[in-house]
Amino acid sequence: MQFLSLLGPIAYLGILIGSMATFSHLYRQRQINSKLRLAPYFPAHASRNIYLSLLHMSDSNPDVKVPDSVLRAALLSRAVEDVQRVMEVRTRKPPLAQLLQRGVVGDEIFQRLQRAEQELELEIKDVVNEANALAPNWGTHIFQSANEMVNNKMLRDKLDAIKATLPAEKEAWDAQREKARRELEGESVSRVKTQAVEAPAAEKTIKAGSSDEDGVIVEPPAAEVPAAAAAAAGGGGGGGKGKKKKGKK
């Protein structure tokens, strides 16, 4: 009787656990299928496809032997593209996560980015193994060389962009210089006109001043007036003495 009384709860727990396990399995399978149906975040890896084609060319045609230098160059180009994709993922992931938290973008694009990041991790491991197979210990240096090549390419792109803007900047500078020259010439012409207008006025002022000076009566100094009066008095006295002398005679 006790077993029969416990049979109902045990059956209920079994059905509950089974249903939860089935739901979890179906949910995970659905998530995996949805991820597989997601569009790839990056386009097709052309450098990887070229390297694999060169690597298996000798398998399809034994008479064709691909030199190791060509394989190394193709693998290095593949590593360069991997570095570019890793830099792009690192640049886009933080702002995309912030936009996802704010609800600006959907979850699908962030899942695509995470899937691309996981694929890049596997791709990097594959490139390291291929590099070690082509040359001993090359896998520890191949991505360093690829990173230097990417930085060099970015620097050249910046220099090319600056060089492309040089003609426009030169035209703008020439236009600004011509404008400044015209402004300076306009100021010099205005100064010459102002001087030409002010010169007759100055001459009129000078002539008016000279005519006023000509009309002024110049009086002798005070020291000369007594001396002239004394001389006149002396002359008059001399004439009187002469007259007296004439009367005596």
Side-chain angles (χ1 to χ4, degrees):
M1 293 296 293
Q2 293 179 354
F3 179 75
L4 292 176
S5 63
L6 293 175
L7 186 61
I10 291 172
Y12 175 75
L13 290 175
I15 293 172
L16 182 61
I17 293 172
S19 61
M20 291 179 64
T22 304
F23 175 76
S24 177
H25 176 71
L26 292 176
Y27 179 76
R28 291 179 181 177
Q29 191 67 28
R30 184 179 178 182
Q31 289 293 108
I32 293 172
N33 293 331
S34 63
K35 288 183 179 180
L36 292 176
R37 287 195 300 269
L38 290 175
Y41 190 81
F42 293 106
H45 205 313
S47 301
R48 180 181 60 189
N49 296 334
I50 292 172
Y51 173 75
L52 294 176
S53 299
L54 293 174
L55 188 64
H56 297 292
M57 187 178 292
S58 58
D59 297 338
S60 59
N61 192 358
D63 297 334
V64 177
K65 178 64 177 176
V66 180
D68 292 340
S69 59
V70 177
L71 291 176
R72 291 178 183 177
L75 186 61
L76 187 59
S77 177
R78 178 181 175 183
V80 167
E81 189 168 352
D82 290 338
V83 170
Q84 291 176 349
R85 294 191 175 190
V86 168
M87 294 174 65
E88 188 172 354
V89 169
R90 289 179 180 177
T91 304
R92 294 185 179 183
K93 189 174 181 179
L96 189 59
Q98 293 180 359
L99 294 176
L100 181 63
Q101 291 178 357
R102 296 175 183 176
V104 179
V105 297
D107 189 32
E108 181 180 354
I109 187 170
F110 192 74
Q111 290 180 358
R112 290 170 56 194
L113 184 62
Q114 287 181 338
R115 179 183 173 185
E117 188 176 8
Q118 294 174 0
E119 291 177 353
L120 280 173
E121 292 178 358
L122 298 176
E123 172 68 15
I124 289 171
K125 292 180 180 179
D126 191 12
V127 170
V128 171
N129 294 330
E130 292 291 334
N132 290 327
L134 290 175
N137 297 326
W138 190 33
T140 58
H141 305 289
I142 183 170
F143 281 102
Q144 183 178 0
S145 302
N147 191 17
E148 292 177 357
M149 293 175 65
V150 170
N151 292 331
N152 189 14
K153 184 178 181 300
M154 291 172 61
L155 182 60
R156 283 184 296 171
D157 292 340
K158 289 181 180 179
L159 291 176
D160 292 338
I162 293 172
K163 290 179 180 178
T165 58
L166 285 178
E169 291 181 358
K170 185 178 180 181
E171 291 179 359
W173 172 250
D174 291 339
Q176 185 177 2
R177 184 175 60 181
E178 183 68 19
K179 182 179 178 181
R181 186 181 65 81
R182 290 178 180 177
E183 289 179 356
L184 291 175
E185 289 181 353
E187 290 180 359
S188 62
V189 170
S190 62
R191 288 179 182 176
V192 171
K193 291 181 179 179
T194 304
Q195 292 177 359
V197 172
E198 291 178 354
E203 291 179 357
K204 291 180 180 179
T205 304
I206 294 172
K207 289 180 179 179
S210 61
S211 60
D212 293 339
E213 290 177 356
D214 293 339
V216 173
I217 298 173
V218 179
E219 296 181 355
E224 295 179 357
V225 173
K241 290 180 180 180
K243 290 180 179 179
K244 289 180 179 179
K245 289 180 180 180
K246 288 180 181 179
K248 290 180 179 182
K249 291 179 178 180

